[in-house]
């Protein structure tokens, strides 16, 4: 069994690729379930493996980048995730220079305490704001996140600062239990905190076994409940069994979505448990 601990941008890219793979298999009803259940508040549409409609030509991806996909947010902002087959030190400067040749003015930079990520904020025409975060995976691969917003610069800058704060606090996000699978073989799994908009943690696995989807979902649901989560509802949709949960911890409310998707060959299942903290506004 392989067990990976991956970073926030890696999970963003990987999760978009996961959705793309399920969509390419013709599971339209699965995507419907994802549309209703999975995406955090604020996400209007997901475009696995492609840029969202309206993505501007003034923001090209870095040369050699592998696009994981993009998001359209309900406030008309756009987000794209990509990976580069080179270390952060080699990836950052050429791409920042390229953006500046496209009339993007560099307004500020930030770097992680151990150099694990770099964040850049750009402005163009006095209104558009672009935030770039580059995250070092293992000194050979760099994950990238682009956030494009339009409107009040001050409000967008506040959101960028929130994203940076979340990156710093990623290691403290641990709300999901260590899942076990009786009667099933774990082929691969990954667990990661990520923080695009809210504090989040996601577990993904590919398993093989004799259990059917609903039985597997019930077994995982039991483990969530034993860890303090309360079940909200559950159901099935085509090859997908799902459940929703809520957790109150240290003054915060967390919600979780559990998906068990039947794959091929028979007896293969893709598991995704996505937890995110609800951020309340000021009273």
């Amino acid at each position: 069994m392989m067990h990976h601990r991956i970073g926030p941008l890696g999970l963003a890219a990987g999760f978009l690729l996961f959705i793309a793979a399920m969509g390419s298999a013709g599971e339209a009803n699965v995507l419907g379930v994802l549309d209703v259940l999975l995406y955090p508040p604020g996400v209007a549409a997901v475009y696995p493996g492609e840029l969202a409609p309206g993505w501007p030509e003034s923001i090209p991806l870095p040369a050699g980048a592998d696009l994981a996909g993009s998001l359209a947010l309900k406030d008309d902002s756009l987000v794209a995730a990509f990976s580069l087959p080179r270390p952060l030190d080699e990836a950052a400067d050429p791409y920042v220079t390229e953006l500046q040749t496209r009339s993007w003015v560099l307004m500020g930079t930030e770097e992680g305490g151990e150099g694990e990520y770099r964040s850049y904020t750009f402005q163009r025409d006095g209104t558009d704001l672009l935030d770039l975060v580059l995250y070092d995976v293992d000194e050979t691969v760099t994950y990238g996140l682009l956030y494009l917003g339009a409107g009040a610069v001050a409000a967008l800058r506040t959101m960028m600062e929130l994203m940076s704060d979340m990156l710093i606090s990623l290691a403290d996000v641990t709300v999901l239990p260590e899942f076990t699978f009786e009667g099933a073989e774990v082929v691969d799994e990954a667990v990661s905190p990520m923080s695009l908009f809210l504090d989040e943690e996601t577990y993904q696995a590919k398993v093989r076994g004799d259990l059917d989807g609903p039985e597997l979902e019930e077994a995982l649901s039991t483990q969530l409940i034993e860890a303090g989560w309360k079940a909200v509802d559950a159901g099935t949709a085509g090859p997908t069994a799902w459940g929703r949960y809520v957790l109150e911890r240290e003054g915060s409310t967390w919600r979780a979505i559990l998906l068990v998707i039947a794959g091929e060959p028979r007896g293969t299942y893709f598991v995704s448990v996505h937890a995110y903290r609800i951020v309340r506004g000021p009273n």
Side-chain angles (χ1 to χ4, degrees), residues 11 14 22 27 112 121 133 167 180 186 192 212 229 231 266 273 279:
L11 187 64
M22 297 310 302
E27 305 291 0
T121 300
V133 180
L167 279 171
T180 59
V186 179
S192 175
D212 61 22
W229 291 84
R266 186 178 179 85
V273 187
V279 178

Side-chain angles (χ1 to χ4, degrees), residues 75-274:
D75 65 357
D76 296 326
S77 300
L78 300 174
V79 179
F82 61 86
S83 63
L84 284 167
R86 48 186 177 271
L88 176 59
D89 286 341
E90 296 179 14
D93 290 346
Y95 188 42
V96 170
T97 299
E98 168 69 11
L99 291 172
Q100 289 175 304
T101 65
R102 306 281 182 140
S103 299
W104 288 99
V105 178
L106 182 61
M107 304 295 291
T109 63
E110 182 178 329
E111 183 172 348
E114 299 181 359
E116 68 277 15
Y117 77 90
R118 297 180 192 173
S119 175
Y120 303 86
T121 300
F122 301 85
Q123 187 176 345
R124 185 180 184 187
D125 298 332
T127 55
D128 292 336
L129 194 71
L130 174 67
D131 195 70
L132 165 68
V133 180
L134 297 173
Y135 182 83
D136 180 75
V137 180
D138 55 7
E139 298 184 352
T140 61
V141 176
T142 298
Y143 286 123
L145 179 73
L146 287 163
Y147 175 95
L148 173 66
V153 172
L156 291 170
R157 187 177 299 280
T158 298
M159 183 174 183
M160 294 305 104
E161 291 172 351
L162 174 62
M163 290 174 62
S164 296
D165 290 342
M166 294 300 185
L167 279 171
I168 294 172
S169 64
L170 285 175
D172 298 328
V173 183
T174 306
V175 293
L176 295 177
E178 294 186 7
F179 293 103
T180 59
F181 298 84
E182 293 187 10
E185 173 194 5
V186 179
V187 179
D188 197 7
E189 63 179 351
V191 59
S192 175
M194 75 173 180
S195 186
L196 298 181
F197 312 106
L198 307 174
D199 285 343
E200 308 185 26
E201 186 181 6
T202 296
Y203 172 84
Q204 294 177 356
K206 178 181 179 181
V207 302
R208 296 195 186 104
D210 296 329
L211 297 175
D212 61 22
E215 290 174 331
L216 185 55
E217 186 276 334
E218 183 177 356
L220 295 172
S221 178
T222 297
Q223 295 178 52
L224 282 167
I225 292 171
E226 290 176 348
W229 291 84
K230 294 182 180 180
V232 177
D233 55 12
T236 59
T240 302
W242 57 270
R244 295 194 297 181
Y245 307 85
V246 65
L247 172 70
E248 298 292 339
R249 174 175 291 182
E250 298 177 356
S252 294
T253 299
W254 289 78
R255 293 180 182 173
I257 306 298
L258 165 63
L259 295 175
V260 176
I261 305 174
E264 295 292 341
R266 186 178 179 85
T268 298
Y269 295 93
F270 297 94
V271 174
S272 177
V273 187
H274 180 72

